[in-house]
């Protein structure tokens, strides 16, 4: 009734995008919740619906939707049976596509055709006519590559440092990325707001929670141990953080995840993604 299939990016695209995915829900009026995530570009092949963000704001889904970076679990509802092509947009992809500062679109969305041009409408129409899904994915990768503008080597290096900081520690410390980047805390926050949508402290909280959730669901790790390893204040703090960024308590993640929560775990098994994208 609900399915999710992933495709890894070509080598030259993996620094800009995560996986392409095809979501299908053959259920009328389906609703579910997605975890805090990177921006998502989505082509609605069929159906429409609404998003409800962590702060309570709601918005209808454009046919070609850019969902900005989310800092809390996001609910969605679909008004009919649905097929949706989506792609995770990494920080360098967000920059190379010419998007506004990411912090402007945190827990918000916009109509991609209206902002980035009619070529996205043409691409949606091509996807709707697809007979071969793998050929459609290959065509979508080609299309996305043509939308990218050059990015400086210095920016690529900075994003690599930030990604490593967020993905390689159970509890990222701000001092570590300040030292690694050679930037002041204020300069660093300016870059992370532009590229990731939030200052370093909030990003550290977000990816700490996402890492813990993956370990709970996939590795079946004892969440009380994760509470200690992640430098949470106590178990109540751990539960609140998981609930904010995942939309589920640790117990729910382990024992009663929703269909989307269960299916999105597949992304971690993909080997051709940037490490930070696999965590999220």
């Amino acid at each position: 009734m609900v399915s999710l299939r992933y495709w890894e990016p070509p080598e030259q695209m993996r620094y800009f995008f995560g996986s392409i995915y095809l979501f299908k829900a053959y259920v009328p009026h389906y609703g579910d919740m997605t975890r805090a995530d990177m921006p998502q570009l989505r082509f609605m092949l069929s159906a429409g619906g609404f998003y409800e963000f962590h702060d309570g704001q709601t918005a209808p889904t454009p046919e070609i939707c850019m969902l900005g970076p989310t800092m809390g679990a996001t609910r969605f509802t679909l008004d009919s049976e649905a097929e949706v092509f989506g792609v995770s947009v990494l920080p360098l992809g967000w920059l190379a596509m010419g998007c506004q500062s990411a912090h402007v679109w945190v827990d918000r969305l916009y109509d991609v055709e209206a902002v980035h041009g009619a070529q996205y409408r043409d691409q949606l129409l091509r996807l709707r006519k697809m007979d071969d899904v793998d050929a459609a994915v290959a065509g979508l990768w080609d299309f996305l590559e043509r939308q990218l503008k050059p990015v400086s080597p210095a920016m690529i290096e900075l994003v690599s440092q930030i990604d490593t900081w967020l993905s390689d520690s159970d509890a990222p410390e701000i001092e570590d990325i300040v030292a690694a980047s050679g930037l002041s805390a204020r300069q660093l926050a300016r870059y992370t707001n532009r590229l990731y949508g939030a200052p370093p402290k909030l990003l550290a909280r977000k990816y700490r929670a996402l890492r813990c959730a993956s370990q709970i669901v996939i590795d079946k790790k004892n969440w009380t141990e994760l509470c200690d390893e992640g430098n949470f204040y106590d178990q109540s703090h751990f539960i609140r953080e998981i609930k904010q960024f995942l939309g589920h308590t640790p117990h729910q993640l382990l024992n009663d995840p929703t269909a989307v929560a269960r299916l999105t775990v597949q992304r971690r098994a993909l080997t051709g993604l940037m490490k930070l994208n696999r965590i999220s």
Side-chain angles (χ1 to χ4, degrees):
M1 303 294 282
V2 179
S3 66
L4 189 59
R5 182 181 174 188
Y6 289 99
W7 288 264
E8 296 179 358
E11 175 68 29
Q12 75 275 16
M13 299 286 280
R14 66 174 55 185
Y15 297 101
F16 301 96
F17 299 102
S19 57
I20 283 177
Y21 50 90
L22 178 59
F23 172 79
K24 297 181 180 181
Y26 297 124
V27 183
H29 307 295
Y30 180 73
D32 210 322
M33 182 178 293
T34 60
R35 62 182 59 192
D37 210 342
M38 297 175 179
Q40 304 293 314
L41 170 61
R42 289 175 176 156
F43 295 84
M44 307 296 291
L45 305 189
S46 61
F50 281 84
Y51 287 99
E52 180 181 350
F53 297 103
H54 176 66
D55 62 2
Q57 294 288 320
T58 62
T61 306
E63 287 189 296
I64 311 162
C65 174
M66 180 68 84
L67 187 67
T70 48
M71 299 299 158
T74 303
R75 294 184 181 276
F76 69 89
T77 57
L78 296 164
D79 56 19
S80 65
E81 294 185 356
E83 293 188 2
V84 182
F85 258 123
V87 58
S88 300
V89 181
L90 304 186
L92 287 177
W94 182 270
L95 181 65
M97 288 177 68
C99 301
Q100 276 186 293
S101 179
H103 82 279
V104 174
W105 294 104
V106 167
D107 296 320
R108 295 291 182 270
L109 59 80
Y110 65 82
D111 183 327
V112 174
E113 181 184 8
V115 173
H116 295 294
Q119 70 272 23
Y120 284 87
R121 167 67 51 181
D122 295 338
Q123 179 61 30
L124 173 63
L125 296 178
R126 284 192 290 269
L127 291 172
R128 284 177 172 171
K129 294 176 182 178
M130 68 178 181
D131 293 318
D132 182 328
V133 66
D134 291 312
V137 169
L140 182 51
W141 283 129
D142 290 342
F143 169 79
L144 291 171
E145 187 170 12
R146 293 195 300 272
Q147 309 313 307
L148 300 179
K149 300 175 182 177
V151 176
S152 70
M155 191 62 72
I156 294 172
E157 175 62 21
L158 176 60
V159 168
S160 176
Q161 291 173 337
I162 296 170
D163 282 2
T164 298
W165 170 66
L166 289 170
S167 59
D168 283 1
S169 172
D170 291 330
E173 297 290 342
I174 308 300
E175 295 78 9
D176 294 337
I177 185 57
V178 168
S181 66
L183 299 172
S184 70
R186 180 173 296 181
Q187 289 172 320
L188 183 65
R190 187 162 60 247
Y191 281 114
T192 59
N193 276 315
R194 170 70 179 89
L195 298 168
Y196 296 79
K201 184 175 181 180
L202 180 53
L203 290 177
R205 287 177 54 209
K206 174 180 175 177
Y207 284 98
R208 178 179 62 173
L210 294 177
R211 174 193 289 275
C212 288
S214 293
Q215 292 174 314
I216 290 170
V217 174
I218 296 178
D219 304 326
K220 309 300 181 185
K221 196 164 183 179
N222 187 306
W223 68 268
T224 56
E225 294 179 12
L226 293 173
C227 180
D228 295 333
E229 293 172 4
N231 292 331
F232 294 90
Y233 298 127
D234 52 32
Q235 291 186 6
S236 294
H237 179 223
F238 180 85
I239 293 170
R240 287 196 303 273
E241 291 287 279
I242 297 298
K243 180 72 173 179
Q244 172 178 334
F245 293 106
L246 279 298
H248 299 75
T249 66
H251 179 80
Q252 289 171 326
L253 282 175
L254 185 61
N255 298 291
D256 190 28
T258 65
V260 167
R262 185 174 64 253
L263 292 169
T264 51
V265 167
Q266 301 171 29
R267 187 164 69 182
R268 183 174 148 178
L270 301 176
T271 58
L273 303 185
M274 299 301 289
K275 189 174 182 180
L276 188 64
N277 193 221
R278 294 179 64 206
I279 291 172
S280 65

